[in-house]
C-alpha cells in the first residue's frame, strides 16, 4: 500500500479508510477509531522526529486534531482557557507535523514533529527538562534554557 505525501506530512492512502459491507460502502476515518474521554479529549504525546525526544504532552479534541491534519501544524485544546490554540501562535515556536500515530487502544496519540525553537513555554527544548534524583526528593534541570522567560534554577526539591 503506497502513501501520499502533502507538504512534508504523512497522509495515508484513502483506501485505508474504506470498509465494505455486503449492501453498501461506508467511509470511516481513523478519527472514528479514537477513544476521546468524557470531556471529548485525548492525550497527544509530541515527539521530535529527528531525535526521538519527547517534547511535550498536550490535550486534543476532535477539532484540534482535524486542524492539525489540515494545516500540518499542531493545534491543541487548552483545558484552562477552554479554547483551541496552535503551538507557537504567539512565540513562533511552531511544530511541523511529520507523522501521526495512535496506540493499540486508540486512546493516546503520538505526533512526530519538526520543532522550531523550544517546545516548552519555559524556554527549554522539551517540557521534560527536570529529572528526579536517585534520592527521590531532589531534581536536576538536565538541559539548557534556550529562551529566557520561565522560572527554573539548576536544582530543586519536590
Amino acid at each position: 500500500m503506497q502513501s501520499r505525501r502533502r507538504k512534508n506530512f504523512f497522509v495515508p492512502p484513502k483506501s485505508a479508510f474504506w470498509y465494505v459491507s455486503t449492501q453498501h460502502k461506508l467511509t470511516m476515518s481513523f478519527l472514528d477509531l479514537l477513544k476521546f474521554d468524557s470531556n471529548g479529549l485525548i492525550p497527544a504525546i509530541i515527539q521530535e522526529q529527528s531525535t526521538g525526544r519527547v517534547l511535550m504532552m498536550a490535550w486534543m479534541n476532535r477539532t484540534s486534531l482535524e486542524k492539525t491534519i489540515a494545516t500540518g501544524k499542531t493545534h491543541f485544546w487548552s483545558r484552562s482557557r477552554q479554547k483551541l490554540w496552535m503551538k507557537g501562535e504567539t512565540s513562533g515556536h511552531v511544530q511541523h507535523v511529520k507523522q501521526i500515530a495512535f496506540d493499540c487502544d486508540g486512546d493516546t496519540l503520538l505526533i512526530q514533529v519538526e520543532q522550531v525553537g523550544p517546545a516548552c513555554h519555559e524556554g527549554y527544548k522539551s517540557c521534560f527538562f527536570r529529572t528526579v534524583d536517585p534520592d527521590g526528593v531532589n531534581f536536576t534541570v538536565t538541559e539548557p534554557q534556550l529562551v529566557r522567560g520561565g522560572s527554573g534554577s539548576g536544582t530543586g526539591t519536590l
Side-chain angles (χ1 to χ4, degrees), residues 6-148:
R6 180 189 76 207
K7 297 182 188 175
N8 285 330
F9 177 69
F10 174 79
V11 178
K14 283 187 179 178
S15 61
F17 297 135
W18 286 95
Y19 295 87
V20 180
S21 72
T22 55
Q23 297 183 344
H24 56 280
K25 287 186 178 183
L26 300 173
T27 302
M28 185 173 184
S29 165
F30 86 95
L31 293 167
D32 299 317
L33 301 175
L34 298 178
K35 296 176 186 165
F36 295 89
D37 71 11
S38 60
N39 295 312
L41 302 174
I42 189 168
I45 300 165
I46 311 303
Q47 180 182 44
E48 187 173 48
Q49 186 182 47
S50 63
T51 65
R53 174 83 192 253
V54 173
L55 299 175
M56 59 181 282
M57 179 276 182
W59 294 95
M60 293 183 131
N61 61 14
R62 189 176 179 116
T63 302
S64 64
L65 183 52
E66 288 170 340
K67 285 189 83 145
T68 295
I69 293 166
T71 65
K73 294 181 181 173
T74 55
H75 290 75
F76 304 103
W77 177 256
S78 171
R79 295 178 302 163
S80 60
R81 294 179 287 160
Q82 292 291 296
K83 70 174 207 162
L84 288 172
W85 61 281
M86 183 186 87
K87 179 65 177 162
E89 66 189 343
T90 57
S91 67
H93 302 150
V94 297
Q95 297 171 333
H96 299 284
V97 176
K98 300 299 180 182
Q99 186 177 59
I100 298 174
F102 56 102
D103 74 339
C104 55
D105 294 323
D107 62 3
T108 304
L109 299 171
L110 175 65
I111 302 178
Q112 292 188 338
V113 301
E114 177 187 322
Q115 176 69 47
V116 175
C120 179
H121 73 281
E122 291 193 21
Y124 293 88
K125 178 74 172 177
S126 168
C127 292
F128 299 96
F129 60 88
R130 294 177 284 222
T131 302
V132 177
D133 293 341
D135 66 11
V137 175
N138 297 299
F139 67 91
T140 302
V141 173
T142 56
E143 63 182 65
Q145 191 176 29
L146 302 176
V147 175
R148 285 238 181 255

